[in-house]
Amino acid sequence: MVNIILIGPPGAGKGTNAKQISNFYSIPHISTGDMFREAIKNQTPLGNLAKTYIDKGLYVPDEVTINLVKERLSCDDCKNGYLLDGFPRTLAQAEALSIIGKELNRPITHVLDIIVSEDVLINRITGRLVCKKCGAPYHIDNHKPKVEGICDLCGGELVKRVDDNADTLIERLKQYHMQTEPLINYYKNLNLVYSIDGNQELSAVFNQIKSILGEIK
Ligand code: AMP
């Protein structure tokens, strides 16, 4: 069984790799960013609150995010493994996750740290498009859909994320370096970290991930 965390800065390819891992290993892909975007679309109280932070490139408060993940990890479909994408992002979240993992007997087994150089990140984010309906990611140069503006998977409309603009990106990178990067050491001390070279072609990145997780399939 694998209970995975994907860590990496915005644009590292967490979403894309998460979808591949989730399909290959048949485990749920839990993205707090996707959960917040869904809540924003449905204009729920959670969505309205999250929007005020996300639009500025800031993190949603820990308490809100931790409760959301706790509820999701308790679901039955997580009993044979799960993949967290974009959570934890702060030390408080990592500590809470450790307690939740113990309570549910679903502790983290692997932390995949996707390492990408800053110029590649900026190019990926500024050229990124996502499907409005299913969230699948594309890129205007490197990962074009078969039909312009239309998702290959579900036929949904491809749009730019509101927070994928140069100003918000600077703030998101700052938040990542300040709050999330320290988690890598936290998990290194627990011997859970595997470094992934995220500058490679998508297929090479996924092959590297499979070679790490491979034997559990
Ligand atoms: P993502 O799709 O993972 O890039 O997340 C988009 C935005 O949602 C982030 O820039 C944060 O504002 C918010 N967010 C997602 N996950 C978290 C989290 N674990 N903690 C706090 N904020 C989060």
Side-chain angles (χ1 to χ4, degrees):
M1 180 168 70
V2 281
N3 299 328
I4 310 167
I5 294 173
L6 272 186
I7 289 196
K14 295 190 296 296
T16 308
N17 284 299
K19 284 197 183 350
Q20 285 184 297
I21 298 169
S22 157
N23 287 336
F24 192 78
Y25 292 99
S26 305
I27 52 174
H29 168 202
I30 303 171
S31 155
T32 39
D34 283 351
M35 288 160 101
F36 288 136
R37 279 184 289 277
E38 186 63 23
I40 291 171
K41 198 164 82 187
N42 296 327
Q43 297 185 349
T44 65
L46 170 73
N48 296 338
L49 175 83
K51 187 171 164 40
T52 60
Y53 294 92
I54 293 178
D55 284 355
K56 296 188 196 112
L58 299 174
Y59 285 175
V60 177
D62 282 336
E63 198 190 288
V64 176
T65 314
I66 290 166
N67 283 333
L68 190 69
V69 171
K70 185 171 182 183
E71 209 173 289
R72 183 64 187 87
L73 287 185
S74 315
C75 295
D76 233 30
D77 64 338
C78 294
K79 71 170 187 280
N80 295 322
Y82 57 83
L83 170 70
L84 285 168
D85 159 14
F87 183 94
R89 266 180 155 103
T90 65
L91 204 53
Q93 291 179 13
E95 284 165 351
L97 177 62
S98 157
I99 296 169
I100 296 167
K102 276 194 195 113
E103 278 173 6
L104 297 171
N105 198 19
R106 295 172 185 175
I108 293 302
T109 56
H110 296 76
V111 176
L112 305 179
D113 173 25
I114 310 185
I115 301 167
V116 181
S117 57
E118 203 116 314
D119 51 330
V120 173
L121 292 180
I122 291 167
N123 172 280
R124 284 196 190 156
I125 291 275
T126 48
R128 172 157 70 180
L129 295 171
V130 290
C131 173
K132 214 169 158 180
K133 217 159 126 195
C134 75
Y138 294 85
H139 189 277
I140 50 169
D141 300 319
N142 315 331
H143 182 194
K144 293 182 186 174
K146 292 192 186 103
V147 180
E148 196 182 322
I150 305 289
C151 177
D152 293 348
L153 304 177
C154 76
E157 183 194 352
L158 301 187
V159 293
K160 229 174 142 50
R161 267 171 53 170
V162 198
D163 57 345
D164 276 350
N165 61 73
D167 287 345
T168 314
L169 176 60
I170 292 168
E171 186 58 42
R172 285 161 68 203
L173 284 171
K174 198 170 109 194
Q175 295 289 323
Y176 177 79
H177 291 309
M178 268 172 20
Q179 304 209 61
T180 306
E181 224 163 34
L183 295 191
I184 296 162
N185 265 336
Y186 171 89
Y187 285 116
K188 273 190 178 156
N189 287 333
L190 300 171
N191 282 327
L192 291 174
V193 177
Y194 299 83
S195 299
I196 310 290
D197 176 5
N199 290 313
Q200 311 172 86
E201 286 278 305
L202 259 179
S203 56
V205 176
F206 188 52
N207 281 338
Q208 194 185 349
I209 293 174
K210 276 192 295 190
S211 73
I212 291 163
L213 303 175
E215 67 268 27
I216 48 93
K217 176 121 186 165

